[in-house]
């Protein structure tokens, strides 16, 4: 067992106490409050900073419903009015679907028939192209019918024996849910999964003082370390080997938000835990 990291607890300055609390527990990072000095001014309420992701896809700003030629969408059941967000590239989506041939309406595949929803990562090429672009326009609870030209389905080769070459396909898809996932450094070394959405629009930034509790768990479920009510300055380095990953996650969160951070060994404890860790 490697030695416990040395943590440095910093006294919050009373005259500018931030008054926020973050909790990283069971993969959850929760922001509880915000000081008066951080409340948005009237001129700061524009839409420029409202997106949950750097590319503006999904999150707080709905994705564009425009689809390429070759993908036609018909909404069968509208989503509830409260469900206005759409998934973004990298999110893990759960759907039910029924696939039929446009030529004769014959069914070739159905998750409903198997009684088991289908789960895939959006935008990573795990499914046919028409699914990646189509599901990205859907909201939770929505049922839509997509008609896909061959170039957005199985192309010239088809998928014998049920799908002939150059076949136009029709999929009725229900977006059951999705887990928002963000590759924080773009190398899959730290993947943040949203557990509970926060409120408001403000996030902590480097240099902010926060109060948090930290728990790191190995792949086998054993607790590597746990610290409660730690006073911490974001970016100070006081979190040791997991500090870079935690800092990156903290600065992208909102009040009350909870998440899980899965880290590879390079962002966690190195060869001491070569399979990485889940920091909570």
């Amino acid at each position: 067992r490697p030695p416990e990291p040395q943590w440095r607890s910093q006294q919050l300055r009373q005259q500018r106490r931030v008054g926020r609390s973050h909790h990283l527990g069971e993969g959850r990072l929760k922001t509880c409050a915000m000081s008066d000095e951080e409340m948005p001014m009237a001129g700061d309420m524009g839409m420029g900073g409202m997106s949950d992701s750097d590319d503006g896809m999904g999150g707080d700003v709905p994705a564009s419903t425009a689809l390429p030629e070759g993908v036609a969408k018909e909404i069968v059941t509208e989503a509830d009015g409260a469900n206005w967000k759409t998934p973004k590239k990298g999110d893990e989506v759960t759907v039910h679907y029924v696939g039929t041939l446009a030529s004769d309406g014959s069914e070739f595949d159905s998750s409903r028939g198997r009684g088991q929803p289908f789960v895939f990562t959006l935008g990573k090429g795990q499914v046919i192209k028409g699914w990646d672009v189509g599901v990205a326009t859907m909201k939770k609870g929505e049922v839509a019918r997509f008609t896909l030209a061959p170039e957005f389905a199985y192309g010239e080769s088809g998928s014998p024996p049920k799908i002939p070459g150059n076949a136009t396909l029709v999929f009725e898809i229900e977006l059951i849910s999705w887990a928002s996932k963000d590759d924080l450094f773009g190398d899959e070394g730290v993947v943040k999964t949203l557990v509970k959405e926060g409120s408001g629009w403000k996030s902590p930034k480097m240099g902010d003082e926060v109060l948090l509790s930290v728990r790191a768990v190995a792949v086998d479920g054993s607790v590597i370390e746990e610290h409660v009510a730690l006073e911490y300055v974001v970016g100070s380095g006081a979190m040791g080997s997991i500090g870079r990953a935690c800092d990156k996650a903290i600065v992208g969160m909102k009040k009350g938000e909870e998440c899980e951070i899965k880290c590879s060994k390079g962002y966690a404890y190195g060869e001491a835990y070569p399979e990485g860790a889940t920091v909570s």
Side-chain angles (χ1 to χ4, degrees), residues 23-255:
H23 171 68
L24 280 77
E26 294 296 338
R28 291 164 175 78
L29 171 66
K30 179 161 62 175
T31 310
C32 300
M34 185 180 298
S35 68
D36 289 341
E37 69 184 35
E38 292 180 310
M39 295 303 291
M41 302 297 289
D44 293 334
M45 294 303 290
M47 295 298 289
M50 296 295 286
S51 176
D52 274 349
S53 63
D54 292 339
D55 59 8
M57 294 296 291
D60 284 346
V61 179
S64 171
T65 56
L67 289 167
E69 186 176 352
V71 179
K73 177 182 179 181
E74 174 191 354
I75 295 179
V76 177
T77 303
E78 295 275 0
D80 184 274
N83 298 330
W84 56 272
K85 293 186 178 182
T86 55
K88 65 182 184 304
K89 181 179 179 180
D91 287 351
E92 186 178 82
V93 299
T94 300
V95 302
H96 260 313
Y97 70 91
V98 177
T100 58
L101 298 177
S103 58
D104 61 8
S106 60
E107 182 180 308
F108 58 82
D109 194 14
S110 172
S111 66
R112 294 190 186 279
R114 293 189 296 272
Q116 181 67 45
F118 179 63
V119 180
F120 69 98
T121 301
L122 190 65
K124 297 293 187 179
Q126 296 179 356
V127 292
I128 56 177
K129 188 176 179 180
W131 272 47
D132 270 339
V133 299
V135 174
T137 70
M138 298 184 70
K139 303 169 183 138
K140 181 180 177 181
E142 179 182 318
V143 180
R145 186 176 294 116
F146 294 94
T147 301
L148 308 180
E151 61 268 29
F152 287 93
Y154 292 95
E156 295 181 359
S157 60
S159 183
K162 293 185 177 181
I163 302 175
N166 289 316
T168 296
L169 306 181
V170 178
F171 287 95
E172 185 172 287
I173 301 175
E174 176 188 2
L175 180 55
I176 298 171
S177 64
W178 78 84
S180 180
K181 293 181 180 287
D182 293 292
D183 183 357
L184 297 187
F185 293 98
D187 58 2
E188 300 186 351
V190 180
V191 177
K192 184 182 85 169
T193 300
L194 181 66
V195 175
K196 178 183 176 182
E197 291 192 17
S199 60
W201 63 277
K202 196 75 173 179
S203 299
K205 60 184 181 297
M206 290 293 182
D208 279 353
E209 295 167 319
V210 296
L211 181 66
L212 50 79
S213 297
V214 178
R215 189 170 186 254
V217 180
V219 173
D220 63 4
S222 61
V223 177
I224 301 171
E225 60 180 295
E226 186 169 12
H227 303 270
V228 179
L230 175 72
E231 295 172 357
Y232 175 66
V233 175
V234 182
S236 67
M239 282 193 181
S241 58
I242 58 173
R244 185 182 176 199
C246 290
D247 287 344
K248 187 73 169 179
I250 290 170
V251 298
M253 301 185 71
K254 300 180 178 70
K255 177 182 176 182

